[in-house]
């Protein structure tokens, strides 16, 4: 098993754009030749576009772009910019009178960290597509991860900064990679140590507060926790495996194991956790093996997103918290 740079998945292009003044951004994953794509939505508060087209019984077989974006439901406007870009390069589903780009995606809530009146829009989506020519850093507070935070059970004053992360593994000819914007309600756990590495954090005592314990304590007090509804982890699996739409949906489902291993709690009613899977169909592979790798790369991409995150707008990141702790 070999770790590799996600850019080695040649049929996929990743681009970001962000506004650091407003603390929001978007990320696009393009596949101009089209990718068989599936999705699995586990969170109770999702914001998505064109996910019905990914059902196995529906007509369209290939997707040309997936976007991950901040801005809550407003961020769905990013799709218009992605479609504009793909149409300009003559990519899309041929309907005789035009080629219609098939673009799907999901949003996360980041309105509270920056300027809630400024959200990713079609212009930012278009610029992110233009930025796919640059192989810049894929980790930390960029793109859809610009305004991402974690550990919000006690509100934003106890949250930590998160971001976007990638990770990719190869076995033989099979390649599987993940990109994820981590914006969870819960804490982030390193499965290797079973320790909290980011989450609800007391900035005075410099201690993690343990979201699950906080939720249990509030219930015992017959008092609701402040379930600050500013969450959702969204990501995409990319692979060169040959998959049907049904299999692509299964891979997206198995990839959620990576979320479950690293987030406590995960898939809550105030998260909209959504994972897409995109396959270009070059390599025959066992579906269970692809799914195993999908969960593994998602898990590691989440950890990379956390560890690459620095402080932003007075929200502490992994680097400063763990430097202080040591």
């Amino acid at each position: 098993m070999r770790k590799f740079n996600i850019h080695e998945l040649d049929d996929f292009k990743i681009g970001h754009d962000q506004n650091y003044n407003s603390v929001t951004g978007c990320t696009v994953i393009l596949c101009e030749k089209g990718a068989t794509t599936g999705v699995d939505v586990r969170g109770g508060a999702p914001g998505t576009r064109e996910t019905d087209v990914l059902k196995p019984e529906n007509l369209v077989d290939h997707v040309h772009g997936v976007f991950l974006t901040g801005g809550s439901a407003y961020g769905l406007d990013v799709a218009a910019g992605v479609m504009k870009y793909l149409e300009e390069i003559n990519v899309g589903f041929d309907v005789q009178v035009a080629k219609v780009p098939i673009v799907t995606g999901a949003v996360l809530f980041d309105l509270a960290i920056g300027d809630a009146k400024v959200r990713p829009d079609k212009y930012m989506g278009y610029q992110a597509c233009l930025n796919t020519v640059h192989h810049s850093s894929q980790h930390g507070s960029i793109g859809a991860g610009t305004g991402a935070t974690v550990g919000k059970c006690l509100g934003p004053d106890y949250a930590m900064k998160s971001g976007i992360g990638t990770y990719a593994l190869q076995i033989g000819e099979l390649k599987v990679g993940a990109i994820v914007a981590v914006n969870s309600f819960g804490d982030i756990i390193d499965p290797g140590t079973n320790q909290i590495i980011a989450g609800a954090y007391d900035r005075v005592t410099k201690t993690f507060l343990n979201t699950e314990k906080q939720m249990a304590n509030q219930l015992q007090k017959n008092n609701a926790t402040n379930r600050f509804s500013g969450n959702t982890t969204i990501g995409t699996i990319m692979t060169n495996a040959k998959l049907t739409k049904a299999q692509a949906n299964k891979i997206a489902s198995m990839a959620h194991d990576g979320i479950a291993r690293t987030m406590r709690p995960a898939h809550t009613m105030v998260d909209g956790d959504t994972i897409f899977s995109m396959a270009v169909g070059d390599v025959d592979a066992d579906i269970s093996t692809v799914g195993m790798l999908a969960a593994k790369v998602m898990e590691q991409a989440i950890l990379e997103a956390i560890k690459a995150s620095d402080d932003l707008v007075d929200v502490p990141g992994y680097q400063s918290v763990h430097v202080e702790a040591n």
Side-chain angles (χ1 to χ4, degrees), residues 68-108:
L68 312 173
T69 182
S72 190
Y74 295 107
L76 293 172
D77 192 31
V78 162
V82 181
M83 290 190 69
K84 172 179 168 58
Y85 173 84
L86 291 170
E87 183 181 29
E88 288 178 354
I89 61 172
N90 199 35
V91 169
F93 180 70
D94 192 349
V95 294
Q96 303 303 314
V97 296
K99 285 189 176 179
V100 180
I102 306 302
V103 176
T104 186
V107 305
L108 58 80

Side-chain angles (χ1 to χ4, degrees), residues 69-72 107-112 147-149 152 183 228-232:
T69 182
S72 190
V107 305
L108 58 80
F109 186 101
D110 59 1
L111 299 180
T149 53
K152 288 161 280 191
N183 192 56
F228 182 73
S229 55
N231 311 292
T232 295

Side-chain angles (χ1 to χ4, degrees), residues 26-277:
C26 70
T27 297
V28 299
I29 305 101
L30 304 182
C31 183
E32 294 174 13
K33 76 176 189 179
T36 304
T37 302
V39 67
D40 191 4
V41 181
R42 296 282 180 93
T48 58
R49 180 187 190 273
E50 289 275 40
T51 51
D52 279 352
V53 77
L54 306 181
K55 293 180 179 179
E57 68 270 22
N58 289 339
L59 173 64
V60 175
D61 286 328
H62 294 99
V63 164
H64 306 102
V66 171
F67 65 88
L68 312 173
T69 182
S72 190
Y74 295 107
L76 293 172
D77 192 31
V78 162
V82 181
M83 290 190 69
K84 172 179 168 58
Y85 173 84
L86 291 170
E87 183 181 29
E88 288 178 354
I89 61 172
N90 199 35
V91 169
F93 180 70
D94 192 349
V95 294
Q96 303 303 314
V97 296
K99 285 189 176 179
V100 180
I102 306 302
V103 176
T104 186
V107 305
L108 58 80
F109 186 101
D110 59 1
L111 299 180
I113 189 172
D115 184 349
K117 297 296 185 180
V118 179
R119 309 106 179 191
D121 56 16
K122 64 180 180 180
Y123 303 105
M124 187 177 282
Y126 185 84
Q127 186 61 48
C129 293
L130 294 178
N131 291 345
T132 58
V133 299
H134 304 296
H135 286 182
S136 57
S137 171
Q138 303 293 339
H139 296 164
S141 295
I142 58 172
T146 302
T149 53
V150 298
K152 288 161 280 191
C153 70
L154 297 175
D157 291 340
Y158 294 89
M160 277 181 61
K161 189 70 186 71
S162 181
I164 203 161
T166 67
Y167 202 86
L169 291 170
Q170 179 176 6
I171 299 177
E173 294 183 345
L174 174 65
K175 295 179 179 180
V176 181
I179 183 166
V180 61
V182 181
N183 192 56
S184 64
F185 171 77
D187 299 327
I188 306 299
I189 311 296
D190 184 339
T193 63
N194 203 35
Q195 298 297 309
I196 297 173
I197 63 170
Y201 181 72
D202 190 321
R203 302 173 193 180
V204 176
T205 62
K206 296 181 171 53
T207 55
F208 291 113
L209 300 176
N210 192 313
T211 293
E212 291 184 328
K213 287 184 179 179
Q214 294 297 325
M215 294 172 72
N217 289 341
Q218 292 297 324
L219 185 64
Q220 289 175 345
K221 295 175 183 177
N222 195 29
N223 192 10
T225 57
N226 178 12
R227 292 189 174 86
F228 182 73
S229 55
N231 311 292
T232 295
T233 294
I234 49 180
T236 302
I237 298 294
M238 293 160 280
T239 180
N240 62 354
K242 293 180 181 177
L243 301 178
T244 65
K245 284 174 71 174
Q247 290 167 339
N249 278 281
K250 180 62 175 176
I251 297 306
S253 175
M254 294 179 73
H256 273 280
D257 289 352
I259 287 181
R261 292 171 189 166
T262 54
M263 297 181 190
R264 297 181 188 169
H267 306 135
T268 73
M269 289 301 292
V270 293
D271 287 293
D273 301 334
T274 300
I275 295 177
F276 299 91
S277 65

